[in-house]
Amino acid sequence: MRAQEPTNQPATQLQIHSASSAMAHQLALLVLLLASPAAMHAAAGACASEKFPAERTYATCEDLPQLGAALHWTYDASKSSLSVAFVAAPAGTSGWVAWGLNPTGEGMAGTQALVALKGSSSAPNVKTYNITGYVPLGGASTPIAFPATDLAADEGSGGKIRLYGKLQLHKGMKSVNQVWQVGSSVTGGAPDKHAFGASNLASKAKLVLGSKATATSPASEPTPAPMAGGPSPTAGGAGSDSGASSSVAPSAGKNAATAAGVSAPALAVMALVGFLAIV
Ligand SMILES: *[C@@H]1O[C@H](CO)[C@@H](O)[C@H](O)[C@H]1NC(C)=O
């Protein structure tokens, strides 16, 4: 009995080791299997399932962080030309959707907007507006800083409006603020005021022309301080869109989207590394 003890112990340890190794192996495989579809979904994004008419193709699509909107775009750097398709559901069946670039600020004021108005007409009508602030817009387009061509709109699935256009940007533009919005009604060919919910006020983000990957820079990491003591991202009340109080919202929204977009593939990579380490 006594003589067996020394030989027994290593054998037991080996069994325990191999059992736990097999368990870790299975666990890693499970994590990998669970993470993969999620990672693929996050990488492709919901916008990737949009089916446009055959002649409309875009190099990039991006699910925007608010209002269920998406932007599809192709940037031709040699011509500084940006082709876009903006997709969003209006806030009402005879409402409007808008998207634009703001070269001078973050909020609505200064936005060079493309607006697709459904109104009572069957097909959405596209107009351009140089948005100067919270002043009612007229029924006629106003000139915008980026000459717009190929303006058109059609209806997508689920009552969404798809707004198409091509903007002549300024030479050398690399990153620009984008702003989008949805409204519920149209009067006299003009978009009526939109709602002032948290997502209406936070519907802005950076559009990085060039590679999409550069949008997730370490500089955009959320800092814990504003959460603890500063204004919360949802604290901006009605009418504070252009004020300092709402300047927290866009970065917070972008960070949330960035985190959501990055975490699933990162998880898959981690699982894969773990899996390889065990094998
Ligand atoms: C847009 O409006 C602003 C403010 O009135 C004005 O300074 C700017 O020149 C306008 N832009 C265009 C392209 O008309």
Side-chain angles (χ1 to χ4, degrees):
M1 284 301 263
R2 201 187 254 203
Q4 275 184 331
E5 269 182 304
T7 55
N8 255 355
Q9 210 156 341
T12 309
Q13 272 176 353
L14 189 68
Q15 272 176 351
I16 288 169
H17 177 76
S18 68
S20 71
S21 166
M23 228 167 85
H25 190 130
Q26 282 172 355
L27 196 67
L29 199 61
L30 186 68
V31 167
L32 190 67
L33 288 172
L34 289 175
S36 295
M40 276 162 66
H41 181 78
C47 63
S49 62
E50 189 73 44
K51 297 267 182 291
F52 289 111
E55 73 277 11
R56 299 194 187 277
T57 57
Y58 301 90
T60 310
C61 88
E62 205 173 334
D63 286 300
L64 297 172
Q66 305 291 338
L67 303 171
L71 185 74
H72 301 251
W73 51 281
T74 301
Y75 182 59
D76 182 343
S78 68
K79 296 182 185 142
S80 302
S81 159
L82 179 68
S83 285
V84 298
F86 172 74
V87 183
T93 48
S94 26
W96 54 269
V97 305
W99 172 88
L101 296 177
N102 189 341
T104 56
E106 271 196 339
M108 191 184 91
T111 299
Q112 308 298 297
L114 305 180
V115 184
L117 307 105
K118 182 78 166 61
S120 51
S121 61
S122 51
N125 194 354
V126 181
K127 293 175 181 175
T128 64
Y129 288 100
N130 175 11
I131 313 256
T132 56
Y134 283 100
V135 290
L137 297 171
S141 288
T142 58
I144 59 172
F146 307 115
T149 52
D150 301 347
L151 295 177
D154 64 13
E155 281 186 78
S157 60
K160 288 183 175 174
I161 293 179
R162 305 186 296 189
L163 162 57
Y164 308 103
K166 191 183 237 182
L167 295 177
Q168 182 59 53
L169 303 190
H170 300 152
K171 260 201 165 49
M173 279 176 80
K174 293 226 160 24
S175 168
V176 61
N177 294 316
Q178 60 176 331
V179 179
W180 60 98
Q181 199 52 262
V182 299
S184 61
S185 61
V186 173
T187 304
D192 290 327
K193 205 169 81 171
H194 60 79
F196 286 81
S199 50
N200 297 92
L201 297 175
S203 54
K204 38 200 165 183
K206 269 247 174 323
L207 174 64
V208 179
L209 306 164
S211 130
K212 202 185 160 194
T214 56
T216 59
S217 70
S220 69
E221 283 299 308
T223 51
M227 300 296 280
S232 94
T234 52
S240 68
D241 191 19
S242 58
S245 64
S246 70
S247 65
V248 175
S251 60
K254 201 182 93 186
N255 287 335
T258 301
V262 165
S263 61
L267 190 67
V269 168
M270 274 158 58
L272 187 63
V273 168
F275 177 72
L276 290 175
I278 288 158
V279 171

